[in-house]
Amino acid sequence: AAIHMLGTSVSSAELAAERGYPYAFALFINNDPETAKKAFEVYRSNFNRETGAQPKTILALSVIAADTHEEAVEMAGEFKNVRVTLASGKTVNVGTLEQAEEFARQAGETFTYEIRDADITKGTKETVRARLLELKETYGVDEFIFTTIVKEFDKRIHSFKLLNQAFTELPV
């Protein structure tokens, strides 16, 4: 199996390019579109073709599809994204304020934080499909990887079935 690199920064894109690995930007962790764009640009422009490989870009997203938009919004629930900035300037994205406090404690630094709703592409199969095609155009990616954080297993499976239908049953 080929090695792929999942990252959230320009430096991870540089490392993937240097090593000639396929690169996935984790937009579900770092939902800053400018960082994602820059990471993909740096990856493509610095890709080490001497490895014999070609650049391969992947966007990793949190996606929830449901029969109605309202149900998808409910399934997305209270997921949050907490962006922590340490006194030294280092930043990290975590899921809760408690995780932010623990990260800062381990680093031994003071911190500031910003709480945002998690970046989840959600809706019906039609609206999710439209958003994914828009993201493909925006970032010029070759593939997507999805994470679907839904507590109820049956609803998680149904979300993946709807995603499959969105790209096999709807006209291109």
Side-chain angles (χ1 to χ4, degrees), residues 23-28 30-44 56-61 119 121 131-144:
Y23 178 67
F25 186 90
L27 200 64
F28 69 96
N30 182 356
N31 62 354
D32 177 4
E34 292 310 311
T35 301
K37 285 179 188 175
K38 180 71 175 167
F40 284 131
E41 287 169 12
V42 165
Y43 173 76
R44 289 182 191 103
K56 181 176 182 179
T57 53
I58 304 163
L59 191 61
L61 301 169
D119 185 5
T121 298
R131 178 67 178 142
L132 293 175
L133 292 174
E134 181 183 306
L135 289 168
K136 181 177 183 354
E137 185 72 25
T138 299
Y139 296 105
V141 294
D142 302 310
E143 291 183 14
F144 290 106

Side-chain angles (χ1 to χ4, degrees), residues 146-164:
F146 303 132
T147 179
T148 299
I149 306 170
V150 174
K151 291 179 184 175
E152 297 86 359
F153 184 73
D154 291 346
K155 289 184 178 183
R156 193 175 335 142
I157 294 297
H158 187 61
S159 177
F160 280 110
K161 286 180 179 176
L162 290 172
L163 283 169
N164 180 50

Side-chain angles (χ1 to χ4, degrees), residues 81-167:
N81 182 292
V82 182
R83 184 170 184 85
V84 181
T85 304
L86 296 176
S88 61
K90 182 176 181 177
T91 61
V92 67
N93 291 287
V94 295
T96 65
L97 185 53
E98 292 76 19
Q99 290 170 339
E101 290 168 345
E102 178 60 17
F103 178 77
R105 186 191 67 73
Q106 288 181 16
E109 296 184 43
T110 58
F111 70 101
T112 58
Y113 65 92
E114 177 188 357
I115 299 177
R116 298 177 283 188
D117 286 336
D119 185 5
I120 300 173
T121 298
K122 57 190 170 294
T124 63
K125 64 184 175 185
E126 294 84 2
T127 56
V128 166
R129 180 182 192 273
R131 178 67 178 142
L132 293 175
L133 292 174
E134 181 183 306
L135 289 168
K136 181 177 183 354
E137 185 72 25
T138 299
Y139 296 105
V141 294
D142 302 310
E143 291 183 14
F144 290 106
I145 295 176
F146 303 132
T147 179
T148 299
I149 306 170
V150 174
K151 291 179 184 175
E152 297 86 359
F153 184 73
D154 291 346
K155 289 184 178 183
R156 193 175 335 142
I157 294 297
H158 187 61
S159 177
F160 280 110
K161 286 180 179 176
L162 290 172
L163 283 169
N164 180 50
Q165 292 170 14
F167 287 94

